[in-house]
Amino acid sequence: MKITHYLYNAFVIESGNKKIAIDPGGLFFYFFKFTTLIPKSEWASITHIFVTHGDPDHHWHTDRVAKVSSAPIICNETMVRNINGKDMMLGPRDKGLAFTTEIHNVHTLTVGETIELDGMSITGIKTTHGSLKLKFGPFSKTMHPGPNERIGWGSMGFEIILDGKKIVNLGDTLLHQKVWQKIHEPDVLMLPIGGKMIHNTMDEKEALQAIRIIKPKLVIPCHYNCPAFFTKKYNPADDKMFKKEVEKMGIKCVILKMGESIDLKKDEYV
């Protein structure tokens, strides 16, 4: 099993005949253009697309990857509405809660629900996106997730059992100590650590607490030190300190920069 990271929560997982894309979003930097995180050269070979929520850095290119690859989309049921007999997904590039994008191959689930798909077992995990503060020079605006707000819409993590490995991806989330006690020792845990300055996700200390609860074999931190707007580290975190603290627990931790990969078997991670 090979895992490649493309900043934020964008991952590609390759195992057997499957090539899974998680959160094929866009990079919002400098000239406000959402360039793709997962390279276009990878799109056609994607077999399954997972979307943790509808924010642009996670969802911007979902429909485009699906169109090129014909891969099914797996997401929270709140990301899709049936309108006039058609499955319409939250428009990746629309403003607000506009369900404008017709999709033909989608599998939805709810938190706690498990579905079987193409030899995979997929369970929805409770996550909660925090508030997001945007700063433009002397001006700032805070956006709070809610029933009528786009920010964090459809938030949900995934437990994916594939080829004997249990992979957990938590997307963008705050800490859920009690609920996550139900997650049992995954082989790989991907979780955000960049919520120190803008608390839209866990910070390093909260992520460490999540690891104590979940007890994974391997940790991959994500959604930190990412370029956004006019800075190269919009959500700063100390990954060296984080890795050191994880390894104190006897748990392996790997830091993946943009486009870097690990081979779980070859590199003897799990």
Side-chain angles (χ1 to χ4, degrees):
M1 181 177 289
K2 179 182 176 182
I3 300 175
T4 306
H5 187 211
Y6 292 104
L7 296 183
Y8 292 92
N9 190 52
F11 287 92
V12 170
I13 302 171
E14 299 173 73
S15 183
N17 62 354
K18 295 181 178 63
K19 189 172 183 177
I20 295 168
I22 299 178
D23 285 354
L27 179 61
F28 197 31
F29 192 44
Y30 281 135
F31 297 104
F32 303 99
K33 294 181 179 179
F34 277 103
T35 56
T36 182
L37 290 169
I38 297 175
K40 290 185 178 180
S41 59
E42 301 287 334
W43 289 8
S45 56
I46 296 297
T47 62
H48 299 81
I49 303 165
F50 286 75
V51 180
T52 64
H53 65 288
D55 286 359
D57 53 323
H58 298 255
H59 181 45
W60 191 261
H61 294 289
T62 298
D63 59 325
R64 292 169 173 166
V65 177
K67 183 177 181 180
V68 169
S69 65
S70 299
I73 298 169
I74 300 95
C75 60
N76 193 326
E77 67 172 12
T78 61
M79 290 285 290
V80 179
R81 291 180 181 173
N82 189 276
I83 301 174
N84 297 325
K86 298 180 179 179
D87 286 330
M88 306 296 288
M89 178 171 255
L90 181 69
R93 294 166 296 280
D94 288 326
K95 295 181 179 180
L97 296 177
F99 291 80
T100 58
T101 303
E102 185 176 3
I103 49 175
H104 302 284
N105 194 356
V106 62
H107 299 266
T108 63
L109 66 162
T110 59
V111 170
E113 181 182 4
T114 299
I115 63 173
E116 304 294 327
L117 177 64
D118 299 333
M120 294 182 289
S121 177
I122 303 163
T123 302
I125 297 173
K126 180 177 176 59
T127 60
T128 300
H129 197 290
S131 299
L132 181 63
K133 186 176 183 179
L134 303 178
K135 295 187 70 176
F136 301 92
F139 304 100
S140 65
K141 179 181 180 181
T142 301
M143 297 183 291
H144 303 279
N148 299 308
E149 298 295 333
R150 173 69 182 250
I151 180 76
W153 185 265
S155 181
M156 186 169 68
F158 296 101
E159 178 187 275
I160 307 166
I161 299 177
L162 168 64
D163 293 339
K165 300 292 185 185
K166 183 188 294 185
I167 312 297
V168 170
N169 184 289
L170 294 177
D172 287 6
T173 185
L174 304 175
L175 179 62
H176 284 283
Q177 297 196 59
K178 291 184 179 181
V179 174
W180 292 348
Q181 290 175 2
K182 298 178 182 179
I183 306 173
H184 299 294
E185 301 181 356
D187 292 286
V188 181
L189 172 63
M190 306 164 180
L191 80 173
I193 66 169
K196 183 187 300 181
M197 300 295 293
I198 299 173
H199 201 222
N200 58 326
T201 74
M202 293 182 285
D203 60 19
E204 301 103 310
K205 291 183 179 179
E206 292 164 326
L208 288 169
Q209 182 59 22
I211 291 166
R212 293 184 187 100
I213 296 166
I214 297 172
K215 298 180 175 63
K217 295 178 182 177
L218 170 67
V219 172
I220 305 176
C222 58
H223 211 280
Y224 71 97
N225 293 349
C226 298
F229 304 106
F230 298 100
T231 177
K232 291 184 178 181
K233 292 187 178 181
Y234 185 71
N235 34 23
D238 186 343
D239 55 8
K240 292 182 180 179
M241 178 278 290
F242 179 80
K243 176 179 171 68
K244 184 177 180 180
E245 292 300 315
V246 172
E247 291 177 342
K248 283 181 181 179
M249 303 181 207
I251 296 171
K252 296 177 181 179
C253 179
V254 61
I255 306 299
L256 295 180
K257 305 300 183 182
M258 176 70 172
E260 291 185 344
S261 305
I262 59 168
D263 187 312
L264 299 188
K265 185 176 181 180
K266 179 180 178 181
D267 297 336
E268 297 184 352
Y269 280 103
V270 295

